[in-house]
């Protein structure tokens, strides 16, 4: 059984999907399919380019959602990292999102969320299994 935990990080607010990316990571934003699930928030699908040993260039897929609080943005972004066999739907279930969505609850409480697919899951890069390790997955998140 995989242990699942929410990781909440206090970081400066992100004002757009491409704001202030680290020098080693590039980002690309596309029209969000999650926007319809959270009409009272601003949501973007984001691909963060990462370089990981043994895998080289890869990307981590994520959904960045920010509450709309009269033009203000949240000062905290919660990084949501699912367990090793899950993807971003763990924190934002496609059914009854008002009941089964941690993202919805966090947005209602005024927090921004960055809900990711770990490397080798979901819409993130799927490297050959011979090159993917727990260390490379952790390095990609870091």
């Amino acid at each position: 059984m995989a242990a699942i935990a929410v990781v909440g990080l206090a970081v400066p607010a992100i004002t757009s999907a491409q704001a202030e990316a680290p020098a080693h990571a590039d980002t690309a934003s596309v029209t969000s399919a999650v926007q319809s699930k959270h009409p009272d928030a601003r949501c973007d699908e984001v691909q963060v380019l990462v370089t990981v040993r043994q895998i080289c260039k890869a990307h981590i897929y994520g959904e960045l959602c920010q509450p709309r609080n009269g033009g203000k943005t949240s000062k905290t972004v919660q990084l949501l990292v699912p367990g090793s066999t899950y993807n971003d739907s763990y924190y934002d279930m496609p059914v009854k999102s008002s009941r089964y969505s941690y993202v919805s609850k966090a947005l209602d409480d005024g927090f921004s969320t960055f809900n990711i697919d770990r490397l080798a899951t979901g819409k993130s890069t799927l490297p050959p299994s011979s090159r993917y390790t727990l260390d490379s997955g952790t390095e990609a998140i870091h």
Side-chain angles (χ1 to χ4, degrees), residues 2 13 45 60 83 95-96 103:
E45 292 182 79
I60 295 286
V95 295
K96 292 187 181 180
V103 171

Side-chain angles (χ1 to χ4, degrees), residues 91-107:
Y91 291 106
D92 203 11
M93 292 286 177
V95 295
K96 292 187 181 180
S97 64
S98 61
R99 180 178 177 136
Y100 297 113
S101 174
Y102 180 86
V103 171
S104 290
K105 177 64 174 149
L107 290 168

Side-chain angles (χ1 to χ4, degrees), residues 41-110:
R42 177 171 184 246
C43 296
D44 294 298
E45 292 182 79
V46 180
Q47 291 184 352
V48 180
L49 299 177
V50 295
T51 301
V52 180
R53 284 175 280 170
Q54 297 183 355
I55 298 174
C56 297
K57 291 189 177 184
H59 75 270
I60 295 286
Y61 169 84
E63 298 171 352
L64 176 64
C65 288
Q66 301 168 303
R68 291 188 178 154
N69 297 331
K72 297 179 183 176
T73 58
S74 171
K75 295 186 186 289
T76 302
V77 178
Q78 296 182 2
L79 174 62
L80 306 180
V81 182
S84 62
T85 60
Y86 296 92
N87 63 15
D88 65 274
S89 66
Y90 184 82
Y91 291 106
D92 203 11
M93 292 286 177
V95 295
K96 292 187 181 180
S97 64
S98 61
R99 180 178 177 136
Y100 297 113
S101 174
Y102 180 86
V103 171
S104 290
K105 177 64 174 149
L107 290 168
D108 289 346
D109 290 342

